[in-house]
Every structure is written in structure tokens, then in C-alpha cells.
Amino acid sequence: MTTTSRTSRRRFLRSAAILGCASLVPGFLAGCAAGGESSPTSTASVATPAGSAASQARRGPSKGELRTATSGLPTTLDSDDGTSHFSLLSHGIGETLMRFRADTTAEPWIASKLERVDPLTWRVTLRDDVTFWDGSKCDAEAVRASFERTLSKVAGTDSLIPQGSVLTSGGMTLTIKTPTPSALMPKSLATVELQVKKVIGSDILYTGPFRPTSHTAKELLVAEAYQGYRGGPANIKTLNVRYIPDTEARILALQAGDLDVAESLFPAHLDRLKSGGYTTISGPQARQHMMILNVRRPPFDEVAVRQAVSLAIDRNTLATVLGGPTTPSYSLGPEAMKIPGLFPTQKYDFAEAGRVLDAAGWKAGASGSREKAGKRLEFQITTYPGRAELEQFAVVIVDQMKKLGVGVTIDKVSDITSVINNSTFTASMYSLGQGAFTDISRMLVYLYTPSGTNKDRYNNPQVNDLLATYLANADNAQAIEALKGIQNILAQEVPVVHLVTPSMLHGVAKNVRDLAFAPLEYYRYGTEVSLA
Amino acid sequence: MFRILIARLIDTIPTLLLVSLVVFILLELSPGDPALKVLASSGGDVVVDDRDLAALRHDLGLDQPPWERYALWMNEVIRLDLGESFVNKKPVGALVLQKLPASLILAAVTLFASVAIAVPLGVVTALRANSTLDGTVRIVTLVGASFPSFWIALACMWLFAVQLHLLPALGGFTVRGIVLPALVLTIRTSALLVRVTRAAVLESLHADFIIVARAKGLSPFRVVWRHILPNAAIPILTVVGLDFAGLVAHAAVIEWIFAWPGIGRMGIEAALAGDTPALLGFVLVTSVIVLFVNLVVDVAYGLADPRIRTAVAK
């Protein structure tokens, strides 16, 4: 019974997200309008921006082999197998109807225009120069067949195109009619799961600039430039992607000249790469490391303790643990995502932390430890080996808490998901990616309202109501107001301590030109990258 | 000899059953939901709820009781079917066949190099026991056996690939590509083999038959080749056999670092991804290899020592 109830609440919030998020659409459209491409009317649309591939001169012949190593390669070349979609998109094999801009809004990619005809209907007009690798046109019927295959095979994709949606194709126009308003559609159509493909027997054809010629699961992917790509083939003739699971081995292979690009390095490698004369690609990820406090368990059932712990954690020190460009985090989500209405809700003020605890009756004794009614102030931090950096943070936090007079121990578990889902912790290190939507709603649903990851840990009816308003409100200003209201409550209640936003880091040899991994590292290898 | 083979083959069946059962139970007891791990390996960010998770668990057969899953798996194994990988969605048998040659090649090259280096070195250090050479080799082998493999691997990469540019940093199926991973494995394997060979030769050196052989005026080379080495062969064969099995099954760290596409790396990845069928397949196949190599070593004992043949015949 309980599970059903939780699931339905979760379903409600998901539906609400898909229903509404109307608040986000005006913002999203505003972003498009800034580029002078959208129609700011009730029939909103997003069109192909100027400077797109279609408007560019054809590129010259492809040449050279780019050798790169990654920590994740596709297991299959089928983006619908549930495990390979990210690799296929990021290595220039698959494409989506929309794609994320650098500011994380979405713009047409295979599509030329996306229009919201009415609250339930989205109309996608496809570019007429997009072809699959067999030369056949990528028309609306092909996209419809592709989406229906994905929706039937990949778990969770009904959060992108709601169950019960009707997809209608006609020429180069695809119409998506949803059972409930689905304001997140532009971003949904940019997610890795919805790559457009054509299935012929066991062959899967995409529209991307690189066509695989050799693939060994989790070992090697060799792809050649697709000669029929719109605007001309990619500058690189051959893309050789090797799976090297060990980070240190990747960087040594780059230094040895065996690779042109070493992907997914640690921020601490930054100085080593720079001193070696390598180009680095770095920037904040759409992810936040945090410490979740279980407000149902002592000592965090006392709000003053939560506030004090948050005030006493020096995020700058934590950022230096990882080295490189790690950013201290004080907001509900990664600040780099520039989410409208997001503001810092936490700060570092060690002296204030002491005053808060003093006022709450937690006084420092002769030993320096804080006590109240004969009970010491202490707690345990749960961490997990899946993200080793979190354990390092926990060690630093133990030290910082000791200075405050709070005793902290560390407990390591291998399955953090079960611990979080079942709330069997007092304080837990955690890391949450913002997800494909590039919106704050995922974090809000996961952490602050009843959901699979927050079954009975934190539940504030005011926050729940404000989130529902945020997700469903068509008025952008009202949505931002709701988000501010949520932040004001959470600033006081502190159910989560925001720690740092980690950074991505990739090392690139000097001979590689025009390689950019932004945004969200979705689009790593495209047509423009070349070798000197 | 035939009786040795039959006896050992019969022994392998309960051993394999026991190994598979223990591994299955350990996997059942290990924390973490394999379905969640499989979903987490996708790298995507789709929101997956309890219903999706339940569907995946059903697809993977994880909603059945453990004993039933084990029985089903064993039923497939008897028909030489190791099941399908949760992650790769391919038959585990095909994955093993794809990865095994790489591990066998690396193990064979390593063992060849180890024997070629360690046995002569072990003989020489025994013949010149307590000399400077003996002392130096003892220290070097101790260091080689003590350092962690991953550290030696990264140090070799840095030296030979980054600094000297003599070899590629990554492993590959070329002469140059196999040198570094084989070198790292050889350092460790030969360190032990040198010490075993030295001890075995030292023991033989003082035997009566060696004194007789010398008294007969045989050259030192003939004494070593015809009399000492055959008598020291049993412990050396034991170590070589165990090393070979270990190199195939447990070179995972080296395969991981050098991106060598072997079966050891497959085992690590299966464990990390919660890919139970692949992990069970890995354990079963490596167990078979260990048992097979032990069988070969047992036969080799018989060939090397006529007393063992006689004992078995009786």
C-alpha cells in the first residue's frame, strides 16, 4: 500500500512536471527570442538558428585520424538498449531533434522548427537535408518509427513523451499530441534517449557525422566520417575511440603520444596537463555534491543543528580537495546552469555556527565537545566508494566539525541508493546530476518532496505546494516566485547541505583544433573538430 | 597416466559445482540491486521509478527466488550455455570466447619470459649461493614481488612510453603492444619463480646422487641439466602451473590499466555493473582453467618423476 501511495505521489509530480513546467517554457522561449528566432506568441516556436550547418559553406574533404580514450564506450550500437545512448550521441554517431545550447536552452538540430500549437500539441518540422547513413531522407515517418521503438524499449522514456501521446507523421512534419500539457518537450526532444534512428534488420542507421566501421563492446569504436552529412563530411576522417578504464593510464597514454584526447580526467590533473603543454577542456558539470541530512533522526531533527552544520562547512576547503576548477556550491542546484530565480541559500560562517549552537543549548564543555542535557553532539556520515571524492569530503567535514565541537564518524556503504531510498542514514554524502532536462525540477523532486529518493525523510507541505506551483505555472514570473518561496523555506530548514559543483576535465594534444565538450558534455565530436 | 586423468576429471565436477554455488551465494549476499546497477550504467538521466525497476527486474529474471535462478542457470550451464549478459545483452559464452584469447596470449608470453629469465637465474644463484649475485637477485626479486602490480604498471608506462618513447603506453596485439603488460606481469611472476628454482636446486645440490654424478667426472653443465633440473622440476612445475592459471584469471589489474581486452577485465566490469551472468561465467571459466592447468601439472609430475607414475599405477 505504502509503495503504491509513494509511486502515485511520484507519478503526480512527474505528471505535474510534464503537465506544467509552463513556467520554464517562457524562459526557454525567451532564450530563443534573444537569438531572434522564436515567435513570442501563444503559438510558440523554436526555429533553426542562424549559423547552423545548413547555412554554412560545405566543409572540405575529411582527413586524419583522431585517437581518443574514454571511460565509457557503448556496449551496442543501439541507442535503445538502455546503456549506450550517451556514448553514441557524444561521439557524433546519433543525433536528436533538438540540442542543448551552451546556456542549456534547447535549439532545433534535426528539426528545423518546433512549435507549440496548443497546450497539448507540439509540431516538429524537420530539416529537409538530413539523411540516414544509407542516404535515405530522415522524414517524419522515420522519426515517428524511431520514437515509438524507443518508447516501447527504454524504461522511463514516458517521462520524456508521456504515455498515451499520439505521434502523427506527414511528410516532414511530426505532430506530438500529449494527453496532458507537456511544456518540457523542447528539452525532452534533446535528451540522449530520443536519438533518431532507422532500423533495418540488425543494422541501425543514424544521422550523425560519424558512422561506425568497427565496434567491439566496451573496447573500441572506430568511425569514419559520413560523406553524405549535411554541409559536408566532418573534418576528421576517422574517429578512433578506445575504452581505457584507468584514469592515470589515459593521461599517460596522452603524454606518450598514443592519444590525441584523454577524456574524463580528474581536476587534480589540470596542472600536470598545463605544464606538459596540453590544451585542457574544463568547466562545471551539471552536478552537485552534497550532504543530505535526515531530519527524522537526531541530531538533525533539530533545525539549529542543521543550520550550524551548514554554516560550519567551509566549501572552499572542500573545493581544494579535488584540485582544479571545482566550485563551492551554496544554491539548490549547480550555479553554472544559470537557472532563473536560483539564489544562494547557504553560506560559510563558522562563528555564526557556534552562536547558533550556543543559542540552541549545545554548549562547548571543558573538552571542547558540545553537549546538551548530558548528551554529546555527534553524528555519522555515510559515504560510498562509487564516488571516492565524497569520502575525502567527509574526512574534511569531520575535521571541520571537530573544530566546532561536534563529533563525527564515517561509515562506508557499497549501496548508497538503498540507504538513501530507505532513509537509513543520519547524514549521507551524495552526488546528483541535474539530468537531461537542465532544469532544477529533478533535484527538487528527488530531494525535497516525497519521491523514490525521499520516501519519509523530508516532507514540508508548503514546499510540496510551491513545487507544484513551480512546475505547473504558465506565468514565468509566478514560477520564479514559487522557486524563491521554496528556497526561502529550505534556507531555514536545511535538509541538504550543498557542497561543491565538480568540474569536467579533458586533456587534448596540441594538434587538435576546435574541440568543445559543451554543454553537459553531450556533443563531444562533431563536424568542426580537426587535426593540425 | 590414464587413471590420473580420469581421477582428476571426476574431481573437477564437485569442485566446479561448489565454486559456482559459493559465488552465487556471495553475489546474493552482496549489497546492491543488480537491476539498479544496470540502470546506473546507462549514463542517461531518465527518471526511472519503481515500476520501471520492477519491469527490468522481471526482464532480467531477478524477481524469481535465488534457488530457482541458480537452478535455471545451472540447467543452462549443463547445456554449455552461460546465459546472457545483463549489460551487453550478448551470450556470456560468446563474450568469454571473445576475451579469452587475449588473456591466454598475455599469460603465455608472460610465462615464457618468466621461465626463460627465472629458471636460469634461479639455477645460477643456487650454484653461486651467498655470492654478491645471489644477494642482488634476492633483493631484486623481493622488491619485484613486494610492489603492487598497478604501481609497477604505471611506473613502466611512465618510463618506457612517456619518458623514453620506446613502447606504446597501451596494450595491443602487436609485438610492441604486448611488451609492457607482459613485462609488468613477468616482474612479479619471475620473482617468485627465481626463488622457488633457487631453493629446489639448492636442495638437489647436496643430494647423494649429485655427489656421485660429480665423482663420475660429469661436466658441471651436464650435472645441472641431466640431474639437478629434473629433480628440481616438481616445485618449478607447480609454480609455473599455478602462475599460468593465475595469469589467465587474475591479471585483471594489469588488463584494466593497459586496456588489455582480456577476461580478467571482463570480470571486473561485470562485478562493477552488477552483471551477474557475466560474473558467474567468468568465475566458472577461470575455475575450469585453473582445474585444467592443475590437471596438466599432475600429468607433468608423472612425466617428470617415474616414482609418481609407479605410485599411481599401484
Side-chain angles (χ1 to χ4, degrees):
Chain A
M1 266 321 275
T2 312
T3 306
T4 310
S5 168
R6 283 197 294 262
T7 305
S8 58
R9 278 201 300 272
R10 172 76 178 275
R11 290 250 155 227
F12 162 75
L13 284 165
R14 177 191 283 181
S15 304
I18 292 158
L19 253 177
C21 281
S23 56
L24 303 171
V25 170
F28 161 71
L29 294 176
C32 300
E37 299 297 333
S38 72
S39 158
T41 62
S42 57
T43 308
S45 74
V46 192
T48 306
S52 68
S55 63
Q56 290 172 353
R58 286 189 72 81
R59 285 171 290 275
S62 310
K63 57 182 181 183
E65 180 183 31
L66 182 78
R67 301 157 305 160
T68 177
T70 177
S71 57
L73 257 190
T75 48
T76 74
L77 295 178
D78 184 355
S79 66
D80 289 343
D81 84 337
T83 60
S84 301
H85 37 47
F86 182 79
S87 289
L88 293 171
L89 187 80
S90 62
H91 289 99
I93 291 163
E95 293 180 320
T96 48
L97 290 181
M98 307 287 286
R99 61 175 282 162
F100 292 108
R101 295 188 180 99
D103 66 357
T104 68
T105 57
E107 67 179 11
W109 198 10
I110 288 181
S112 64
K113 193 163 67 170
L114 176 65
E115 302 164 280
R116 192 172 196 185
V117 179
D118 60 53
L120 298 177
T121 311
W122 287 90
R123 186 163 59 217
V124 186
T125 307
L126 300 168
R127 296 169 62 120
D128 60 4
D129 56 354
V130 178
T131 55
F132 292 106
W133 294 331
D134 63 351
S136 62
K137 194 173 270 273
C138 177
D139 57 17
E141 179 53 25
V143 176
R144 189 190 63 77
S146 172
F147 280 6
E148 289 190 344
R149 182 176 187 267
T150 304
L151 294 170
S152 67
K153 290 189 73 164
V154 185
T157 42
D158 58 355
S159 65
L160 304 174
I161 296 178
Q163 220 168 26
S165 296
V166 178
L167 280 67
T168 317
S169 58
M172 301 304 285
T173 304
L174 177 76
T175 306
I176 304 171
K177 199 165 182 63
T178 56
T180 51
S182 180
L184 277 179
M185 191 59 74
K187 289 187 173 183
S188 294
L189 295 180
T191 55
V192 288
E193 286 78 10
L194 293 179
Q195 288 174 63
V196 177
K197 71 202 80 62
K198 180 177 176 181
V199 182
I200 305 173
S202 59
D203 290 335
I204 299 182
L205 307 176
Y206 296 89
T207 61
F210 292 106
R211 178 179 189 171
T213 54
S214 168
H215 172 246
T216 309
K218 286 202 147 194
E219 269 183 46
L220 182 69
L221 172 68
V222 181
E224 298 287 332
Y226 167 43
Q227 296 301 311
Y229 193 74
R230 55 190 183 275
N235 289 327
I236 295 291
K237 186 169 185 289
T238 307
L239 180 65
N240 186 317
V241 190
R242 194 160 176 186
Y243 171 58
I244 304 178
D246 188 75
T247 310
E248 197 62 35
R250 284 199 296 280
I251 198 168
L252 284 169
L254 176 71
Q255 289 177 303
D258 292 354
L259 296 174
D260 301 305
V261 182
E263 299 179 17
S264 307
L265 306 175
F266 294 134
H269 288 133
L270 186 65
D271 291 340
R272 187 166 145 196
L273 288 168
K274 281 185 173 172
S275 64
Y278 296 95
T279 309
T280 55
I281 297 174
S282 65
Q285 294 178 357
R287 170 174 292 280
Q288 188 182 75
H289 295 328
M290 62 191 73
M291 184 166 74
I292 303 176
L293 308 179
N294 190 344
V295 304
R296 305 277 178 214
R297 282 195 182 184
F300 295 122
D301 54 350
E302 196 173 334
V303 70
V305 178
R306 303 200 296 269
Q307 290 170 344
V309 165
S310 172
L311 285 164
I313 293 177
D314 182 359
R315 279 79 161 175
N316 280 316
T317 305
L318 294 181
T320 59
V321 168
L322 292 183
T326 308
T327 320
S329 203
Y330 300 97
S331 307
L332 292 190
E335 286 84 347
M337 290 176 64
K338 301 184 182 79
I339 295 160
L342 202 67
F343 58 80
T345 55
Q346 296 176 358
K347 62 178 180 177
Y348 169 60
D349 187 338
F350 191 82
E352 178 65 15
R355 284 193 289 273
V356 169
L357 286 180
D358 285 340
W362 291 100
K363 304 283 187 186
S367 64
S369 298
R370 290 185 179 270
E371 294 180 2
K372 184 160 81 173
K375 193 177 176 188
R376 281 191 63 189
L377 181 53
E378 55 193 8
F379 65 91
Q380 186 177 59
I381 300 177
T382 303
T383 185
Y384 53 106
R387 285 196 175 269
E389 65 271 37
L390 296 185
E391 189 180 342
Q392 296 179 54
F393 291 159
V395 171
V396 176
I397 290 171
V398 168
D399 190 48
Q400 295 181 350
M401 289 298 112
K402 192 177 176 186
K403 288 176 188 159
L404 187 65
V406 181
V408 182
T409 54
I410 295 174
D411 177 40
K412 275 201 286 189
V413 297
S414 57
D415 182 16
I416 192 67
T417 308
S418 300
V419 169
I420 296 289
N421 289 1
N422 299 318
S423 300
T424 52
F425 65 96
T426 305
S428 179
M429 305 303 292
Y430 200 56
S431 181
L432 189 57
Q434 192 49 48
F437 292 109
T438 68
D439 179 69
I440 193 69
S441 55
R442 183 173 189 240
M443 273 192 174
L444 295 175
V445 169
Y446 266 43
L447 297 171
Y448 306 107
T449 57
S451 65
T453 44
N454 177 24
K455 286 175 179 165
D456 57 358
R457 173 175 40 81
Y458 177 76
N459 187 0
N460 182 326
Q462 272 184 293
V463 172
N464 300 346
D465 291 345
L466 283 166
L467 179 60
T469 306
Y470 172 75
L471 293 173
N473 211 307
D475 185 317
N476 196 33
Q478 285 181 18
I480 290 176
E481 274 307 306
L483 183 58
K484 283 181 181 171
I486 292 170
Q487 292 175 94
N488 286 330
I489 294 171
L490 296 178
Q492 290 304 308
E493 302 218 320
V494 198
V496 172
V497 181
H498 315 300
L499 299 176
V500 297
T501 297
S503 291
M504 58 169 174
L505 179 68
H506 311 284
V508 184
K510 284 178 193 167
N511 62 327
V512 180
R513 302 273 183 272
D514 299 319
L515 183 64
F517 279 22
L520 299 174
E521 306 185 75
Y522 266 32
Y523 319 107
R524 299 186 179 192
Y525 302 96
T527 54
E528 302 308 317
V529 60
S530 63
L531 292 169
Chain B
M1 196 57 63
F2 184 71
R3 286 173 65 182
I4 296 178
L5 272 173
I6 296 296
R8 293 293 183 271
L9 279 173
I10 290 170
D11 286 349
T12 58
I13 295 168
T15 310
L16 286 174
L17 269 174
L18 190 65
V19 166
S20 68
L21 191 62
V22 168
V23 171
F24 192 85
I25 290 169
L26 286 175
L27 284 173
E28 281 300 311
L29 295 177
S30 66
D33 182 348
L36 264 178
K37 286 185 181 174
V38 169
L39 283 172
S41 68
S42 69
D45 287 302
V46 162
V47 176
V48 179
D49 63 13
D50 294 349
R51 187 197 59 170
D52 301 321
L53 198 59
L56 183 65
R57 289 179 61 79
H58 178 72
D59 287 348
L60 300 178
L62 294 169
D63 53 351
Q64 295 167 356
W67 62 266
E68 201 172 307
R69 275 186 283 134
Y70 180 74
L72 280 171
W73 179 74
M74 193 44 78
N75 185 39
E76 288 174 341
V77 170
I78 290 167
R79 290 181 284 134
L80 299 179
D81 179 358
L82 296 175
E84 189 179 80
S85 161
F86 286 172
V87 175
N88 289 331
K89 312 283 193 307
K90 283 182 179 171
V92 173
L95 289 174
V96 168
L97 286 177
Q98 185 191 340
K99 310 278 184 188
L100 193 56
S103 290
L104 288 174
I105 289 170
L106 186 58
V109 171
T110 302
L111 207 63
F112 179 79
S114 299
V115 171
I117 294 166
V119 173
L121 208 55
V123 172
V124 171
T125 51
L127 293 175
R128 297 173 189 273
N130 301 321
S131 65
T132 310
L133 175 71
D134 183 31
T136 309
V137 169
R138 260 191 296 173
I139 291 169
V140 170
T141 52
L142 191 65
V143 169
S146 306
F147 272 80
S149 297
F150 76 89
W151 188 90
I152 297 175
L154 293 173
C156 286
M157 256 190 199
W158 177 82
L159 180 64
F160 293 109
V162 177
Q163 297 300 317
L164 302 175
H165 292 287
L166 287 175
L167 296 164
L170 304 170
F173 293 115
T174 61
V175 174
R176 293 179 77 236
I178 202 168
V179 171
L180 267 187
L183 172 69
V184 174
L185 288 170
T186 300
I187 288 172
R188 201 173 175 79
T189 311
S190 55
L192 182 62
L193 198 53
V194 166
R195 296 177 75 83
V196 170
T197 306
R198 180 184 177 276
V201 170
L202 267 179
E203 197 179 321
S204 297
L205 270 177
H206 303 295
D208 293 343
F209 63 89
I210 298 298
I211 298 169
V212 172
R214 282 179 175 151
K216 282 165 68 181
L218 290 179
S219 68
F221 177 78
R222 280 182 71 85
V223 171
V224 170
W225 186 251
R226 292 291 301 274
H227 296 285
I228 294 179
L229 271 183
N231 280 284
I234 297 291
I236 296 172
L237 273 175
T238 308
V239 172
V240 167
L242 289 173
D243 274 348
F244 184 77
L247 284 168
V248 174
H250 307 129
V253 173
I254 299 305
E255 290 182 359
W256 182 266
I257 289 175
F258 286 102
W260 189 265
I263 195 169
R265 200 180 85 180
M266 177 190 139
I268 292 185
E269 283 165 0
L272 291 175
D275 193 347
T276 310
L279 191 55
L280 280 170
F282 163 76
V283 171
L284 196 69
V285 168
T286 51
S287 301
V288 168
I289 290 169
V290 170
L291 292 171
F292 176 75
V293 171
N294 275 336
L295 184 66
V296 171
V297 169
D298 282 349
V299 173
Y301 285 166
L303 294 174
D305 190 342
R307 289 169 300 182
I308 295 176
R309 282 202 301 271
T310 311
V312 171
K314 284 177 182 173

